[in-house]
Amino acid sequence: MDGTAKATKPKARDAKTKIAQTRMSVLELAKELGNVAEACRQRGMDRTSFYEWKRRFHAQKVRAEAAHRAQQAAERKARKDSAGRKSRARGEALIELQDCDQIFFEPSPQGVP
């Protein structure tokens, strides 16, 4: 290798992805400009469509965040359950050790070797 950076080939995008990215770019431009009408004019989109897509993107974002929170809660519960099982197992092992101590270290009754 000669140490030069290789140009990466851009990933192929399907039509739906291109449309979504175009719509997202209008939302970002409107936020940057602080003017929805101007952003729509520059991108050739009417304001009614802009607000419809803004609502859809927001709803999708909310659903994704809710799914992420649910996944995190499930992971926390799994870790907690796992810790609970480990502590129960440790407790059971401790009881077994105490039973062994009683058997091996307590004096035996008279007449039993």
Side-chain angles (χ1 to χ4, degrees):
M1 300 265 104
D2 60 358
T4 58
K6 291 184 178 181
T8 59
K9 188 175 182 180
K11 294 182 181 180
R13 298 183 304 182
D14 62 355
K16 290 181 180 181
T17 304
K18 287 180 182 179
I19 292 169
Q21 288 178 338
T22 300
R23 290 172 178 156
M24 189 66 185
S25 73
V26 175
L27 296 174
E28 291 169 349
L29 181 62
K31 186 174 184 178
E32 181 182 313
L33 295 175
N35 188 330
V36 172
E38 182 60 29
C40 290
R41 230 179 271 115
Q42 288 183 16
R43 295 288 195 256
M45 176 186 266
D46 63 291
R47 288 187 320 186
T48 304
S49 296
F50 170 86
Y51 286 112
E52 175 65 21
W53 284 105
K54 181 178 178 182
R55 183 188 60 77
R56 288 184 185 183
F57 275 111
H58 178 72
Q60 183 179 3
K61 181 180 174 184
V62 169
R63 282 192 306 272
E65 288 172 352
H68 181 69
R69 283 192 304 271
Q71 181 182 6
Q72 286 179 329
E75 289 171 357
R76 280 193 303 272
K77 184 179 184 316
R79 283 193 302 269
K80 184 178 178 182
D81 289 347
S82 174
R85 282 193 299 274
K86 288 178 184 175
S87 66
R88 281 192 301 277
R90 286 186 195 117
E92 290 168 1
L94 182 59
I95 290 170
E96 288 176 14
L97 283 174
Q98 289 171 347
D99 291 343
C100 288
D101 286 348
Q102 290 173 354
I103 293 170
F104 290 110
F105 298 110
E106 287 185 359
S108 58
Q110 290 193 2
V112 178

